[in-house]
Amino acid sequence: MTEVLSQDEIDQLLTAISSGDIETEEIRQPTDQRKIKIYDFKRPDKFSKEQIRTVSIMHETFARLSTTSLSAQLRSMVQVHVASVDQLTYEEFIRSIPNPTTLAVINMDPLKGSAIMEIDPSITFSIIDRLFGGQGEGAKVTRDLTDIEQSVMEGIIVRILGNMREAWSQVIDLRPRLGQIETNPQFAQIVPPTEMVVLVTLETKVGDVEGMMNFCIPYLTIEPIIGKLSAQYWYSTVRRGATTENLNILRERLSTIEVNIVAEIGRMNLTVRDVLSLVPGDVIRLQNTRTGDPFSLNIGNRPKFLCKPGQIGNKLAVQIVKKLEDVQVQDFEELDDVEGDE
């Protein structure tokens, strides 16, 4: 709100200016001093702080999974954790890494474009030395990888990419694939030099050898899902849990799991003394089972179906005749508890 001066205040102000007590420059000086932020049009910020934070959370999960998988594969103590997540130009990233090094070009299906995974030479040669039966010592001289060493690192990177797919599962069903391995950074031009990228730096320790593992993702590649890289979407997805996308992933993974299916003819309680005295030819009378009754087909330890015995070719088989309801399954469990108490 503008302050209005009275006539006496105006006269005092004019008198002070005439006598030189107040400089006119002091009056003209603006009181509104705004903070100016320098903006570089050559490298604009395309990722917000919230999106950078979400990328960091995703790769903290990736680091934990990689720590476990690499420790098991190398049979050595491996530690991986996120050191920083920054946005910079692709040219700055290329200049910051050594030459030669291990550069893996990653196809980010279903996203368009590729990403770069760079593994420090000290970590690379420590992994190779460990897999070849050594103590896991780093490289004493800088050199390119041989064909055999490159093949070994391909297996390591493919294993690491499986962890990346799981870490990104809350945002997208990522299917990263190893394209090729380069040792000269100048040969890995996946985007223009001025294109902005997000760089995830992972501090890695294999035994006593320390180094860096960098994951470089161009903005053009991650742009289609940039809206999902927010804390609100991330936590709502984690809290929601049972989304259609997650259920499809669970179904796909569960469909390959093997379970035991047992056709149970019947049950009988015997003492240990009776069991030890059993010989071929003895007949055991089953409880609550009559000739012609269907068998219980158990999946795992739970009865799920009723079935009848039969034969297909030269092999024994069972035919499912009825699906057990939840109430009947509960009755089976109660019956087991009663038999256990007896």
Side-chain angles (χ1 to χ4, degrees):
M1 185 174 184
T2 305
E3 183 179 357
V4 179
L5 299 178
S6 63
Q7 186 61 43
D8 293 336
E9 292 173 337
I10 294 175
D11 294 338
Q12 293 176 5
L13 182 61
L14 293 175
T15 303
I17 294 175
S18 309
S19 61
D21 295 339
I22 299 179
E23 298 293 337
T24 56
E25 295 296 331
E26 295 180 4
I27 300 176
R28 295 175 182 176
Q29 184 178 0
T31 56
D32 185 12
Q33 297 181 354
R34 299 180 181 179
K35 294 182 179 180
I36 299 174
K37 181 180 178 181
I38 299 176
Y39 186 83
D40 188 355
F41 286 93
K42 292 183 179 180
R43 46 170 302 176
D45 293 341
K46 293 190 175 183
F47 300 92
S48 66
K49 291 183 178 180
E50 185 180 20
Q51 292 165 347
I52 292 293
R53 175 59 182 163
T54 304
V55 172
S56 178
I57 294 173
M58 292 164 53
H59 287 87
E60 284 172 0
T61 303
F62 167 72
R64 289 194 299 270
L65 295 172
S66 297
T67 297
T68 303
S69 62
L70 289 177
S71 297
Q73 187 170 8
L74 301 180
R75 298 185 181 275
S76 176
M77 182 62 67
V78 178
Q79 297 177 0
V80 182
H81 68 273
V82 178
S84 63
V85 179
D86 305 295
Q87 53 179 323
L88 65 163
T89 63
Y90 186 69
E91 183 180 13
E92 291 173 332
F93 163 67
I94 291 297
R95 289 181 178 179
S96 66
I97 58 180
N99 183 15
T101 186
T102 303
L103 281 174
V105 180
I106 310 300
N107 297 325
M108 302 287 284
D109 295 336
L111 299 176
K112 297 180 180 179
S114 303
I116 291 288
M117 176 174 288
E118 187 265 335
I119 304 178
D120 192 87
S122 60
I123 297 299
T124 298
F125 286 104
S126 177
I127 292 174
I128 292 173
D129 184 66
R130 185 67 186 173
L131 290 176
F132 285 175
Q135 298 298 321
E137 298 179 357
K140 297 181 181 179
V141 293
T142 303
R143 61 175 177 82
D144 292 339
L145 297 176
T146 64
D147 292 341
I148 295 177
E149 291 171 343
Q150 183 169 327
S151 178
V152 169
M153 287 307 300
E154 287 178 359
I156 292 292
I157 293 171
V158 168
R159 190 183 185 97
I160 292 175
L161 294 180
N163 301 328
M164 185 174 295
R165 178 177 184 178
E166 186 170 350
W168 283 58
S169 61
Q170 296 291 344
V171 175
I172 187 175
D173 183 17
L174 188 67
R175 297 183 296 276
R177 293 183 295 106
L178 175 61
Q180 60 188 15
I181 292 182
E182 299 286 352
T183 56
N184 190 337
Q186 301 302 324
F187 295 155
Q189 296 294 334
I190 59 174
V191 290
T194 57
E195 179 63 30
M196 293 301 296
V197 299
V198 58
L199 179 64
V200 182
T201 302
L202 302 162
E203 288 187 357
T204 308
K205 184 176 182 181
V206 180
D208 296 329
V209 179
E210 297 183 2
M212 295 294 180
M213 187 163 58
N214 296 307
F215 188 50
C216 172
I217 314 172
Y219 177 79
L220 293 176
T221 300
I222 208 173
E223 185 178 12
I225 59 169
I226 198 71
K228 296 182 179 181
L229 298 180
S230 63
Q232 182 179 1
Y233 178 87
W234 175 265
Y235 289 116
S236 64
T237 303
V238 174
R239 190 165 48 245
R240 208 167 42 237
T243 60
T244 303
E245 184 177 357
N246 290 341
L247 287 176
N248 292 334
I249 295 173
L250 287 175
R251 289 192 185 99
E252 180 181 352
R253 293 182 179 178
L254 289 174
S255 61
T256 59
I257 296 176
E258 295 183 355
V259 294
N260 292 327
I261 299 180
V262 178
E264 184 180 298
I265 301 174
R267 298 187 181 186
M268 177 63 183
N269 290 333
L270 292 175
T271 63
V272 176
R273 181 182 303 169
D274 294 335
V275 173
L276 295 176
S277 62
L278 289 175
V279 295
D282 289 347
V283 177
I284 300 175
R285 184 176 180 180
L286 302 177
Q287 293 179 344
N288 302 321
T289 303
R290 295 189 300 268
T291 304
D293 286 349
F295 298 165
S296 171
L297 188 63
N298 300 342
I299 300 179
N301 296 323
R302 288 180 169 270
K304 292 295 184 181
F305 303 95
L306 294 179
C307 62
K308 290 184 177 181
Q311 184 177 354
I312 297 180
N314 296 326
K315 295 184 178 181
L316 296 177
V318 293
Q319 181 183 25
I320 297 175
V321 295
K322 185 177 181 181
K323 180 179 179 180
L324 294 175
E325 301 296 336
D326 293 337
V327 176
Q328 291 175 309
V329 173
Q330 185 177 0
D331 293 341
F332 270 91
E333 294 174 349
E334 292 177 353
L335 179 59
D336 292 343
D337 294 338
V338 173
E339 291 177 354
D341 294 339
E342 292 178 354

